[in-house]
Structure formats: structure tokens, C-alpha cells
Amino acid sequence: MSLFERLLRMALASGVSAGLILTLLHQLLTVPLILAAERFEVPVQMTPATPAEASIWAPQPGIQRMAATALSDVLAGTGFALLLAGIWLWRGQPLNHWQGLLWGLGGFAALTLAPAAGLPPELPGSVAAELAARQWWWLGTALASATGLAALVFLPQTWGKLLGVALMVIPHLAGAPHPLVDAGLAPPDLAERFEVATLITSGVFWCVLGVVGARFFQRFVYAP
């Protein structure tokens, strides 16, 4: 079996495991809050759709939406597992489940917790800044946080620690894009519960991905 096949096998095994757990947590924790928030949205006056608009498919509530969520979560888990596997392969060191857990917590800190400090997860009907600005800020914050965290952990020199802290702080000093008016249709307590639920589900996802990914990496990929 080639290295690529072993990497793919590891990524699929860990990505499917973490993705399905994430889907379950979504159904238990975040989906009920999203459905509750959708009741506060103002109905939109329907206009005749153009042929292009009419051909766009969207999953319907129920089984279709759950299946679409599961597919999205599994694909995300597989992609992140491949990213972790590439880093682990480059480092060329054996892993145990505790080390995998630390890597998972690092991924959660860099890709979820740090961006959420500036742009918390939003419910339907929330007033937000322009989408492109938010996407660029999220991407820059995630990259800076991941690089800064790596510098803190892997660079023993003082300058490396200072660089790591600076990289993690700079996006927040620059500030995330926010709307001029802070308002939303859903009650504030519902939005706060959604933020907490989203962080919990993402944290569990990354921990499972790190632990299971390390186990399958050690089994399928790593060859001392």
C-alpha cells in the first residue's frame, strides 16, 4: 500500500469518526437553537424565480438537512485529518493518544476559539458585517493563531515565544469587522447559548479528531 493510500485511509477513518460525532452534537445542541432562532426571522416576500434560481437545490428540514450536515462534517473532518497527518508525517515522530489530544486542542484553539473571540458564531437573523470582510479576517486570524501557537510550542528561544504571542494578538488588535448597529432578531440569551453550544461541539470534534487521528496515524502511516 502506498503512502498516499495509507494517509487517505487514516484521514477517512478519523474524519468519519469525528464528523459523525460532530453531526450528533449538532442535532442535540445547535440545531434546536437554530430552529428556534428561525422563528424570529421576518418572512420574506416571495418573487417569481428565474430559471437559474429555480434550479438551485437546498436540503429540506429533516432527513435531508441532517444528511447534508453529516456529509459536510465528515468532509471537514477528513480534510482536517489530512492536514494533521501531513504535519505529523513531516515531523516524523511517533504519537500517542495524549499527544493527539494536545494537537486537537491546538486545532480548536487556533481555528475555533481564536476567531470566535472576535467573531462569535451567529444565529440566523443576526446583523453582521460584510461577508467578505468577515471571511478574510477569520482566515487571517486562524493562520496567525496557528503559526503563533506553533512558535510558542516549538521555538525554545525567547524571540520565538514573543513572536508567537505577537502573531496571536495582532488580529485582535486590528479588530474584527462588525456592523455599525449591533442588533439581531433572536433574543440575546438564545444567541449566547448558541455561541456556547458551538464552542462545545467544535471542542469535542477537535479532541476526537486528535485522539482518533493519532491512533490511526500510528497504525496506518507512521513507520519508524
Side-chain angles (χ1 to χ4, degrees):
M1 186 182 297
S2 68
L3 176 60
F4 175 77
E5 291 174 327
R6 288 184 282 130
L7 281 171
L8 187 59
R9 188 175 180 183
M10 168 266 173
L12 286 173
S14 51
V16 169
S17 301
L20 291 180
I21 289 176
L22 180 60
T23 299
L24 176 62
L25 292 175
H26 277 157
Q27 300 305 314
L28 294 175
L29 298 179
T30 60
V31 169
L33 298 176
I34 292 173
L35 295 177
E38 287 178 347
R39 294 200 297 266
F40 294 94
E41 289 186 294
V42 178
V44 178
Q45 182 67 35
M46 299 299 294
T47 57
T50 64
E53 293 173 334
S55 64
I56 297 176
W57 178 85
Q60 299 300 311
I63 298 299
Q64 285 189 6
R65 182 178 287 187
M66 185 184 302
T69 300
L71 178 60
S72 175
D73 292 339
V74 167
L75 289 176
T78 303
F80 285 129
L82 280 173
L83 178 62
L84 287 175
I87 297 173
W88 294 339
L89 188 64
W90 173 69
R91 297 191 71 234
Q93 296 178 357
L95 288 169
N96 57 41
H97 61 281
W98 289 113
Q99 292 168 321
L101 177 61
L102 292 176
W103 277 96
L105 289 173
F108 169 69
L111 300 183
T112 299
L113 199 58
L119 289 175
E122 297 172 343
L123 280 169
S126 300
V127 177
E130 198 267 328
L131 178 60
R134 287 183 288 138
Q135 289 176 330
W136 280 111
W137 187 89
W138 186 97
L139 180 60
T141 301
L143 291 175
S145 300
T147 306
L149 189 60
L152 281 173
V153 174
F154 298 117
L155 294 180
Q157 301 89 346
T158 302
W159 67 265
K161 308 299 182 186
L162 294 175
L163 175 63
V165 172
L167 287 172
M168 297 175 72
V169 169
I170 285 174
H172 301 282
L173 292 179
H178 289 287
L180 298 177
V181 179
D182 186 12
L185 300 176
D189 65 313
L190 191 64
E192 292 175 1
R193 288 164 55 197
F194 180 72
E195 293 173 16
V196 173
T198 301
L199 292 177
I200 290 174
T201 57
S202 180
V204 173
F205 165 78
W206 275 104
C207 288
V208 172
L209 189 66
V211 172
V212 178
R215 178 177 178 84
F216 283 116
F217 179 84
Q218 194 68 20
R219 178 178 176 182
F220 295 137
V221 180
Y222 180 74

